[in-house]
Amino acid sequence: MAIQQADKLLKKHKDLHCAKVLKAIGLQRTGKQDEAFSLAQEVATLEPTDDNSLQALTILYREMHHPELVTKLYEAAVKKVPLSEEYHSHLFMAYARVGEYKKMQQAGMALYKIVPKNPYYFWSVMSLVMQAISAQDEKLAQTMFLPLAERMVEKMVKEEKIEAEAEVQLYFMILERLGKCVEALDVVRGPLGEKLTSELRSRENKCMMMYQRLQLWPECNALSYKLLLKNPDDWQFYLSYFDSLFHLMDKSWSQPEEGEHCVEGPVQTTVAEAVKFVVDRMEEQDKKESRPLRGPYLACLELIHRLRQRGCPDEKELGDPLELMVQFFGKFGDKPCCITDLKIYLHLLPPEQRSQFKNHLGELVPLGEAGEDGFGFPGDTKALQRHLCVCQLSRALGLQHALDTEGKLRLITELKAHYHYGLQFGKSCLKTELQFSDMYCLMAAHVYIDLWTETGDENMLWQSLGVLEEGLSFSPSNAQFKLLLLLLFCRLGAFQPVVDLYSSLDAKHVQHDTIGYLLTRYAGSLGQFAAASQSCNFSLRFFHSNQKDTSEYIIQAYKYGAFEKIPEFIAFRTRLNQSLHFAQVRTERMLLDLYTEADVTLSLEESVKAMGVCPEEDDIPWDNMRDNRDLTVLVSWDPKDRELTEEHRRLSLEEESVWLKVRSLTLRLLASLALLGHAPSPRNSDKTNENGISVKSSTLQTLLSQLDQTLETAAQITEKQTQYPFLGPPSSRLATALSSGSCHCQASALQLSLTLRELETTGLDDSSELQTQICNAFKSSVAQLQEMLSRCKGEVLEMKDGRLTTRPSLLETLVFFVETVCVLLWVASYSASVLRPLKSSLQKKKKKKKDSSTAMPVVLCGFQEWTGSLQGVVTQALDHVKGQEASLTALKLAALTLEEGYSQTQEECGFTRAAMDKVQSSYLGSLQELGDLLRKRADLLKSLKI
Amino acid sequence: MTTLRAFTCDDLFKFNNINLDPLTETYGIPFYLQYLAHWPEYFIVSEAPGGELMGYIMGKAEGSVAREEWHGHVTALSVAPEFRRLGLAAKLMEMLEEISERKGGFFVDLFVRVSNQVAVNMYKQLGYSVYRTVIEYYSASNGEPDEDAYDMRKALSRDTERKSIIPIPHPVRPEDIE
């Protein structure tokens, strides 16, 4: 429609630039990229100066991801209209979009010369700061860019031309980056500092920052003290208060005898003063009519912790940590955050006091008379929260883990009883609200998981699923239930239920980066290719929009003078671009496309070209990879020694990176294979490969040796057998990939393609050694594949002695098998393309010589034998999949008797059964997808003839 | 007990415990960046001693001064479930009001789902009253009907006669609000 309108206009006014650009936008949005681009360029070369055309072109270039062309556009425009404030300002913004800081600096000054407005001047200054930040050479930043920026601001200060808060902030930023903290402090404290009014406590925050940098501990201490008197709940100032106090003590600082010793007021230098300060703050809260603040009480525990670290005996002045924590519980035990608060200080209790502590707390929980089952229940939600908090604390103290199986089962019964009892308090809750007793349910699930991991009893896992499903039915928007269910289903190898769970979390945008891994780690590895592809797409769409989006807001930050935000936005953009998850989904998405589509709709070569994979190019920032995964998104009350540590994070990132490297090399190798031009035959040696795209065999060789090295590193990593906390990061696919044999089988198949390439050059005569080598490789690849298939054998879901057992690893191994079949097929297809012309030229020769006695070269026989054997293995695999499908379908879960009574009610059994059904149906789904793909590959294999 | 500080881009990677709440919208990156670029002082987050994010408020200043409509607006306010019942939302609101006072706003306003009784009551306790109802302000997801919003306001000291909060009796449509 828009295109038609534009065409109409163009009929009347042939040279209406704007109409052409609008038409181009129309074309671009209907997917006609090339047409749109050439139409736009047609206008651009005429260097238009009308605002409409310029703006429309700006929009178009941005949408086409060519922001650099916008700069050219306005460069031309300002040349023609040199006094236009508007065009100069557009030019500045165009440079900002592509990060041309030097040109921005000049454009800003040019603007200021035309129209002497302060913001333009400071845009130029900020561009200098950005040159400093982006400079590779820190010396250049410190001796050239920043001093120049400083002088530019000083000039304005001297001329008393400083107008806005943003200008003062920028001045501060420059001084800070120059390390001129004293000067920065003078600015903040001086008359210029009076302009810092927007942000609350802006001057205080900036002073504090400088005091810490300058190690002005007296000032730091006095300011923290002052701020705490005003707000005794602001935690950051307790930390700076304690830090500064101990620094002062270490330096044996003493008050000067005369005069004011510190601009910020009184300084405290002894433990006694600090103790008194904290005790006073607590008493202040105790006396208050309104709700007491938690700050002072936690500050007391923090001070004990720090004194203890220093081996200072004065901690006794503050009281016994056990008593203090019991008191804290007395005051705040009915708040859901009580556990989070106290958890940090549980280490202050010696192990032998743990049970005692728990018992003390128990006395502070009002429960009703114990019923038949021996459990007493809370009368209201506050009592419930207190009781829950005791449970959470005893878990965090390791008391739950110390129980034996009987004890844990009894604990589960108790937690479930409290859960069910507590539901009555939330009868009027909306669907969007949580039930008061939800966390009991979650904890019961955690204890089930403890039992499962300790004893291997899969029933525990099923019951965990059951209790969570039940919880979700009463509290349909509880994200924690969904997350844990999701994780459990994934561990069971059942991806189908995960799709709905994840989508009901309504995770969007940046959440794709932080929790998207929960989906993408499992979808593909469990053979749910369609779902896998979709989950990758969600994430990719987010990452791809990032570049364009952030640039616009960097520009906005200039406009509004939010100079501090500019480096922050740039760092944010970089963090997203360097995301581990981004690199993973990018790679996996392409591999998935190849495995499922290449040679089905498009040929491998066409697919690779369409994706734009370039084998020589590695676009993954290996050295700066950012792990943006939120690995603590699942709530855990586990004791410290079972919690996720920094070391776990490091190991998980390491493992994921190596796995990513394997995958990315595999992708690039497949691309090389697809683009591996045939060796120039002697006759038409000058004929180049069509499209001009070809890959040298040396590229393949290099990538193969990189893959070999990576696989060695991978083997070392898997040897460590790192176990992460259950609620932490999932293990990567690395271990299964190695144990399935797929990596090595794929690597040797790709190596084989290189040998074939050699044969292509040598020809069939005089190559008997090479031919034998190839034939051996053929045979060994079949053996490897056969071996892999044998590792897939077994029942993925089985009912034995009235119990249901799963072996999800069989599914993962089967996926690797199928992937390997694809790779072998492509290598076979390449082999055929090499052997076919060799064979036909041989036949021609034979005809000429009328010689029928010569035997077929071994490699040709070998190839036929090879494809035949491959077909054989694939057929066996298909039979296996069919067999699995049949036995799964025949499995009547209804026949399973779940133990009711002691551990599960009839209702709970219902939920457990539902979960089992979901797992069964998901396995079937995976097998069907795998079977379908395998069948397609089998057909292609059959059609391979030379 | 909490650390109150400016919200930064890095917090977007840590706010899942707050944003996985069904009534808390996770916006696209541009939306957050727009607020950070334009009204950074109005975007405040609170952090627990263990480093967990507890809640945040995101707001802006807008409206015509001449028409006495210059005001602070609460775009989003959310507290993670485990940090509720501490008065944190009230504290964050208080900060937003103070910033709006400094900017010379006449009032502070916000939109809230009419069904979100917990929030409506909290805002009432903080001195807000329903100024008008906006019909079908919240577009529905997954088959539920669109939902109305209350436009709630609280006068600031500049509006000495509290003219800005005199309720409009008839509901308005989203397209009629500025």
Side-chain angles (χ1 to χ4, degrees), chain A residues 197 200 233-236 291 294-295 298 335 337 340 431-432 508-509 511 514 560 562 565 568 575 630, chain B residues 1-4 7-10 13 16 22 25-28 30 36-38 49 52 82 85 87 102 144:
Chain A
T197 54
L200 296 180
D233 209 31
D234 206 333
W235 188 244
Q236 57 195 324
R291 116 166 86 200
R294 292 137 59 236
L298 284 165
K335 307 283 181 200
C337 70
T340 321
K431 263 202 308 201
T432 49
K508 285 187 280 201
H509 311 295
Q511 291 174 319
T514 54
Y560 299 119
K565 291 290 163 192
E568 184 183 319
R575 181 166 178 185
D630 182 350
Chain B
M1 166 232 28
T2 133
T3 293
L4 292 158
F7 190 100
T8 68
C9 289
D10 279 340
F13 296 96
N16 283 322
E25 180 72 16
T26 299
Y27 298 100
L36 288 171
H38 201 158
E52 304 91 349
E82 64 166 318
R85 293 166 230 250
R102 287 190 194 188
E144 314 248 328

Side-chain angles (χ1 to χ4, degrees), chain A residues 334-402:
Chain A
D334 57 357
K335 307 283 181 200
C337 70
C338 187
I339 169 69
T340 321
D341 288 340
L342 287 182
K343 209 165 109 173
I344 321 174
Y345 297 108
L346 288 178
H347 66 275
L348 296 176
L349 296 177
E352 65 276 11
Q353 274 190 4
R354 287 177 188 165
S355 301
Q356 190 194 344
F357 175 60
K358 188 197 158 192
N359 295 337
H360 270 298
L361 298 184
E363 290 162 17
L364 295 171
V365 182
L367 294 180
E369 284 288 304
E372 271 173 45
D373 48 8
F375 307 133
F377 295 104
D380 58 21
T381 54
K382 285 196 167 181
L384 178 151
Q385 191 57 52
R386 275 181 190 278
H387 180 261
L388 175 62
C389 184
V390 178
C391 298
Q392 290 165 327
L393 281 167
S394 70
R395 186 162 178 85
L397 285 164
L399 300 175
Q400 293 189 352
H401 291 90

Side-chain angles (χ1 to χ4, degrees), chain A residues 855-873:
Chain A
M856 267 270 265
V858 278
V859 70
L860 298 180
C861 309
F863 178 79
Q864 258 143 12
E865 214 174 285
W866 182 41
T867 48
S869 315
L870 286 178
Q871 278 174 43
V873 185

Side-chain angles (χ1 to χ4, degrees), chain B residues 57-110:
Chain B
I57 195 165
M58 177 167 130
K60 61 180 170 183
E62 61 183 3
S64 142
V65 179
R67 299 215 304 260
E68 302 196 356
E69 280 165 0
W70 174 246
H71 68 280
H73 174 75
V74 184
T75 304
L77 168 63
S78 189
V79 174
E82 64 166 318
F83 297 106
R84 290 182 190 161
R85 293 166 230 250
L86 297 172
L88 183 57
K91 176 81 196 158
L92 291 167
M93 287 294 287
E94 186 191 309
M95 294 174 83
L96 184 132
E97 286 161 20
E98 195 188 326
I99 296 167
S100 307
E101 282 282 1
R102 287 190 194 188
K103 288 185 188 293
F106 290 91
F107 60 91
V108 169
D109 75 350
L110 56 93

